[in-house]
Amino acid sequence: MDLYEHQARELFEAHGIVVPRAGITDSPERAREIARALGGRAVVKAQVRTGGRGRAGGVCVAADPPAAEEAARHILGMDIKGHTVGTVMLAEPCDVEREFYVSYVLDRAAGRFVAVASAEGGTEIEQVAAERPEAVARIPVDPAAGVNTATAVRIADAAGLPPQTVDTLAAGVNTATAVRIADAAGLPPQTVDTLVRLWQVLVREDALLVEVNPLARTADGRIVALDGKVTLDDNARFRHPGRGDAHATGSDPLEVRAAAKGLNYVRLDGEVGVVGNGAGLVMSTLDAVAGRGARPANFLDIGGGASARVMADGLAVVLSDPGVKSVLVNIFGGITACDAVADGIVRALDEVRLTKPLVVRLDGNNAARGRALLDARAHPLVEQATTMDGAAHRAARLATAASTAA
């Protein structure tokens, strides 16, 4: 469950992390009042569970309360990657001196968390990692040990983050020395302290991801979380009664639609729709698509029983995403054989109007028979691949071609 930025901000503040003063509203007139309470100037930010708000015009700086009202009126109702803006957050502007990136994310394959940090925040961290991987530090975190001061020092050192913004500590000493000086003076090194507190957010709130971009050093020497992204573990909702209900309003409409059909669907920001049977296979398929230079548009695990009904519902949801340019169905036949899955696809094609190319890869039990069923259907927008990598390559090329043509 992804939180809105203002919800992540509330969690940060509750755990002692410095955040700008802010307020949220769904009313332009109320935005004017909030801006006035913040001192006049305000950063007006669309509240949607997706990235790219700034490029879409969903973030702007208002010089005064009337400008804040006008900005809120413009942003409210805006469509950002299929998400309609229902609320805006107005935050107090900060005089930023430098920006950093920090996150803790679950590494399922390794069975541990990873701290990802960079001295170059405020930009697309994926682009930084791809072009200059040395600029992004990845520090494994033992979930049993967690992040204490010593671990936070290692993270700060590895990423080149400042341990302390007080000039007397920052001049001429390394991180460990600055920490000892600060401890002796009873003054916590702000970056290290923030790293520890962010870990506490992750553990105490049962999160799978805690991200701050940017984590800023201001001109007055504070370390401030200017933006936040938090993903909570749905399996731990019982430990946080009411939270799920409180955050349900405004969920992605396709995710709501899929949930009503009993589908395990998560919407992403890409152009290649992905359907598979089994969470591990779907995750591998997402990686294969990304490895071919495209972006997955969703995660959809149809499970072991890929019936015609399930396949039809799944394809209908995936094809409803306006960002999808091609669809990749990757199936490994086991208890449910590939010919049964292929029959489900054929039946689904009779119910769902296919308007985008569909690449199907069948492997495992009765794969040859399943491929024959699809060949016999001979749908002009359906083609097959024999390997996952080949299917990902083809789906990526089709999506690129469709995007270029558009």
Side-chain angles (χ1 to χ4, degrees):
M1 178 173 57
D2 294 330
L3 301 187
Y4 290 107
E5 178 194 359
H6 70 86
Q7 296 166 333
R9 178 196 171 280
E10 292 167 6
L11 289 185
F12 292 167
E13 188 173 34
H15 287 273
I17 296 165
V18 180
V19 293
R21 292 189 302 146
I24 62 169
T25 183
D26 59 1
S27 161
E29 293 76 18
R30 175 61 182 153
R32 176 194 287 253
E33 297 174 12
I34 294 173
R36 184 178 295 113
L38 293 174
R41 293 181 69 242
V43 182
V44 186
K45 309 173 79 174
Q47 297 298 284
V48 287
R49 294 186 178 107
T50 187
R53 294 176 301 172
R55 290 188 296 274
V59 178
C60 66
V61 178
D64 52 38
E69 179 179 349
E70 184 59 30
R73 182 171 284 109
H74 171 72
I75 293 173
L76 288 168
M78 178 184 290
D79 182 275
I80 300 178
K81 297 182 180 179
H83 299 255
T84 302
V85 180
T87 58
V88 292
M89 183 178 80
L90 288 88
E92 182 180 31
C94 292
D95 188 1
V96 176
E97 184 178 89
R98 194 173 171 193
E99 296 181 337
F100 315 101
Y101 173 92
V102 173
S103 71
Y104 295 115
V105 61
L106 177 62
D107 183 344
R108 295 184 184 275
R112 63 191 178 194
F113 284 90
V114 176
V116 182
S118 175
E120 302 184 24
T123 58
E124 294 289 346
I125 193 65
E126 294 86 357
Q127 181 178 346
V128 174
E131 296 177 355
R132 289 178 299 101
E134 71 280 359
V136 181
R138 295 174 175 82
I139 311 298
V141 178
D142 182 347
V147 175
N148 54 21
T149 299
T151 304
V153 166
R154 287 206 325 272
I155 296 169
D157 271 341
L161 308 183
Q164 174 57 275
T165 57
V166 177
D167 290 341
T168 55
L169 294 182
V173 298
N174 59 27
T175 304
T177 303
V179 169
R180 289 198 300 273
I181 295 172
D183 283 343
L187 180 66
Q190 295 170 12
T191 305
V192 170
D193 181 65
T194 300
L195 291 175
V196 173
R197 291 179 184 274
L198 286 172
W199 176 259
Q200 292 170 353
V201 172
L202 184 131
V203 173
R204 295 174 183 174
E205 303 298 335
D206 289 306
L208 300 175
L209 168 70
V210 172
E211 177 184 82
V212 182
N213 187 28
L215 179 68
R217 180 172 65 190
T218 63
D220 59 0
R222 296 179 300 157
I223 295 294
V224 183
L226 294 187
D227 198 350
K229 181 178 180 180
V230 174
T231 300
L232 302 179
D233 187 351
D234 287 339
N235 294 316
R237 284 194 185 190
F238 70 94
R239 284 200 285 263
H240 306 278
R243 174 178 291 160
D245 295 337
H247 298 326
T249 302
S251 294
D252 181 271
L254 285 181
E255 292 184 359
V256 172
R257 178 180 169 187
K261 298 290 186 180
L263 296 171
N264 188 11
Y265 171 91
V266 178
R267 192 175 186 181
L268 304 173
D269 294 334
E271 57 280 344
V272 178
V274 175
V275 182
N277 60 332
L281 180 61
V282 178
M283 291 297 290
S284 297
T285 307
L286 300 185
D287 289 341
V289 169
R292 286 297 181 173
R295 298 177 304 158
N298 65 272
F299 171 103
L300 176 54
D301 173 16
I302 59 174
S307 66
R309 178 75 271 147
V310 171
M311 185 61 70
D313 289 341
L315 285 176
V317 169
V318 171
L319 292 168
S320 296
D321 185 344
V324 168
K325 305 301 181 185
S326 69
V327 181
L328 169 55
V329 177
N330 188 15
I331 301 294
F332 185 83
I335 296 175
T336 301
C338 286
D339 57 338
V341 176
D343 181 63
I345 295 174
V346 168
R347 293 174 182 272
L349 292 173
D350 293 332
E351 297 186 30
V352 179
R353 182 171 175 267
L354 188 61
T355 58
K356 299 163 185 177
L358 180 70
V359 180
V360 181
R361 179 253 184 171
L362 300 176
D363 196 6
N365 188 12
N366 283 353
R369 192 176 302 172
R371 296 187 197 114
L373 286 172
L374 292 177
D375 286 339
R377 179 62 172 79
H379 193 289
L381 288 177
V382 177
E383 57 184 89
Q384 299 190 60
T386 57
T387 67
M388 179 169 69
D389 192 56
H393 177 66
R394 182 58 180 160
R397 290 191 64 181
L398 288 168
T400 300
S403 298
T404 302

